[in-house]
Amino acid sequence: DIQMTQSPSSLSASVGDRVTITCRASQSISSYLNWYQQKPGKAPKLLIYAASSLQSGVPSRFSGSGSGTDFTLTISSLQPEDFATYYCQQSYSTPRSFGQGTKLEIK
Amino acid sequence: QVQLVQSGAEVKKPGASVKVSCKASGYTFTGYYMHWVRQAPGQGLEWMGWINPNSGGTNYAQKFQGWVTMTRDTSISTAYMELSRLRSDDTAVYYCAREGCSSTSCYLDYWGQGTLVTVSS
């Protein structure tokens, strides 16, 4: 099974900050990497698929990069609505494992 | 528009079974795999498995093999997830999610609202 490890587990930042979250796979997954945002009490929402493709309707301040085993999600200028938990997920093979999540909090 | 509407919250006793439904609309139900993901209180997302609504074929995470069953009824565009022999640590929100695919990846692009299953004596 492929293990996904995110860092950091939590992060405090301010509105307007640039933020980067990292996800590492235990083996190469090419570009089969997706990012989701989850707010309390809500279902996850797809942000980025195929490592760097922006899902329709997602603001352009979100971007993704990487391939192989190392990936990043970047938010270029944090907005108040971006404070949430972020998960990476690999779709290279089953089981479709998720990272443990990164909670982004207001500083 | 694509919608996945799940059944309501359930309270079950340990050892019982629960069956959660996920009704799809706004797209061709048989054209997309349906995944199930659960989230225990305060915890992360845990992938459970998928069903191919066209063939009925399934793929379960090893952890759930033998005690989860995913089925579908194509006549009403509904997927089901049944978990048996419930324990207290099965208390979680259960989500269904449609899998879309591009030429370079597959991803969970639409999610149900979640169904809270509480297991308590």
Side-chain angles (χ1 to χ4, degrees), chain A residues 36-67:
Chain A
Y36 302 87
Q37 176 194 66
Q38 187 180 33
K39 296 182 178 179
K42 299 295 187 182
K45 172 188 173 183
L46 177 66
L47 296 176
I48 302 283
Y49 64 94
S52 60
S53 296
L54 194 67
Q55 172 69 345
S56 175
V58 174
S60 59
R61 62 181 180 273
F62 291 92
S63 63
S65 64
S67 66

Side-chain angles (χ1 to χ4, degrees), chain A residues 1 31-34 36 38 41-46 49-51 53 55 87 89 91 94-100, chain B residues 35 37 39 43-47 50 59 61-62 95 99 102-114:
Chain A
D1 294 1
S31 296
Y32 288 81
L33 190 283
N34 309 311
Y36 302 87
Q38 187 180 33
K42 299 295 187 182
K45 172 188 173 183
L46 177 66
Y49 64 94
S53 296
Q55 172 69 345
Y87 294 93
Q89 184 216 17
S91 58
T94 54
R96 295 268 207 267
S97 40
F98 289 90
Q100 80 278 18
Chain B
H35 292 236
V37 175
Q39 186 171 39
Q43 302 301 308
L45 302 171
E46 181 176 29
W47 184 82
W50 56 247
N59 186 312
Q62 186 170 14
Y95 294 101
E99 182 178 75
S102 68
S103 58
T104 51
S105 186
C106 292
Y107 39 84
L108 302 177
D109 56 359
Y110 289 93
W111 294 65
Q113 83 276 19

Side-chain angles (χ1 to χ4, degrees), chain A residues 1-79:
Chain A
D1 294 1
I2 299 173
Q3 309 303 317
M4 306 300 294
T5 303
Q6 287 181 234
S7 61
S9 295
S10 63
L11 176 60
S12 295
S14 301
V15 173
D17 284 354
R18 180 183 180 89
V19 166
T20 297
I21 298 169
T22 296
C23 179
R24 175 166 289 175
S26 60
Q27 66 185 73
S28 178
I29 57 171
S30 185
S31 296
Y32 288 81
L33 190 283
N34 309 311
W35 290 98
Y36 302 87
Q37 176 194 66
Q38 187 180 33
K39 296 182 178 179
K42 299 295 187 182
K45 172 188 173 183
L46 177 66
L47 296 176
I48 302 283
Y49 64 94
S52 60
S53 296
L54 194 67
Q55 172 69 345
S56 175
V58 174
S60 59
R61 62 181 180 273
F62 291 92
S63 63
S65 64
S67 66
T69 61
D70 294 311
F71 302 86
T72 59
L73 172 70
T74 299
I75 310 172
S76 60
S77 179
L78 273 174
Q79 299 302 300

